[in-house]
């Protein structure tokens, strides 16, 4: 894909149709996630800075149980089309509804751990699945 983002390209009907036909499925899903974040009024994960209080939305890519300092921790990777961040619930082995492919909105303070954005014990809201 070129260095020009889609939002900076001409937005004619023919141009949009060509873009959709020439884009990969992953590009189309990423664009849809970015649009969802914008319409929900959430901060894009790619724009989040260390120690910033944010509300982000996206799709959970992975969910794993990974102990931290001997304490159970449920970790999930949240992707919004611009970047990914790790969402960590300390002291939890599982949370009903937290599963790969699920959309959610999460709020809290961003921290950086090993070069990745992390949101510890966020407030969260599960988004409805397509059929709900």
């Amino acid at each position: 894909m070129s260095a020009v983002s889609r939002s900076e390209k001409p937005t004619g009907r023919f141009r949009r149709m060509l873009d959709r036909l020439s884009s990969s499925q992953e590009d189309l899903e990423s664009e849809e996630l970015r649009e969802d974040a914008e319409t929900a009024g959430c901060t894009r994960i790619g724009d989040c800075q260390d120690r910033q209080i944010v509300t982000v939305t996206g799709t959970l890519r992975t969910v794993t149980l990974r102990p931290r300092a001997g304490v159970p921790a449920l970790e999930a990777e949240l992707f919004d089309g611009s970047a990914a961040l790790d969402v960590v619930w300390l002291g939890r082995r599982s949370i009903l509804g937290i599963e790969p492919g699920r959309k959610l909105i999460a709020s809290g303070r961003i921290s950086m751990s090993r070069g990745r954005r992390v949101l510890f014990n966020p407030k969260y809201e599960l988004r409805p699945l397509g059929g709900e």
Side-chain angles (χ1 to χ4, degrees):
M1 196 171 198
S2 69
V4 177
S5 73
R6 287 186 191 273
S7 61
E8 296 170 1
K9 288 184 180 180
T11 57
R13 178 181 290 170
F14 184 69
R15 168 47 80 192
R16 286 193 308 266
M17 184 181 73
L18 276 178
D19 283 346
R20 291 191 72 75
L21 290 173
S22 64
S23 296
S24 70
Q25 184 65 27
E26 186 176 329
D27 290 340
L28 294 174
E29 289 171 0
S30 293
E31 183 177 344
E32 184 179 321
L33 289 170
R34 285 190 297 271
E35 290 172 1
D36 286 348
E38 188 175 311
T39 57
C42 296
T43 305
R44 290 180 37 196
I45 293 173
D47 296 337
C48 295
Q49 302 296 320
D50 190 26
R51 307 295 303 152
Q52 181 182 9
I53 296 175
V54 296
T55 298
V56 294
T57 188
T59 301
L60 295 175
R61 284 182 162 173
T62 61
V63 178
T64 57
L65 177 61
R66 184 170 298 142
R68 289 179 175 248
V71 176
L74 185 64
E75 291 189 13
E77 182 184 59
L78 183 68
F79 180 70
D80 76 344
S82 67
L85 70 80
D86 294 328
V87 183
V88 179
W89 289 273
L90 298 170
R92 302 295 300 263
R93 294 184 190 281
S94 66
I95 298 174
L96 192 61
I98 301 296
E99 55 195 25
R102 188 70 188 247
K103 293 184 179 186
L104 66 88
I105 297 174
S107 301
R109 186 178 301 271
I110 295 287
S111 64
M112 297 297 283
S113 176
R114 299 182 190 124
R116 289 185 54 96
R117 293 173 184 93
V118 182
L119 202 54
F120 287 99
N121 295 324
K123 294 180 190 172
Y124 68 94
E125 174 185 333
L126 295 172
R127 304 289 302 270
L129 295 172
E132 291 181 10

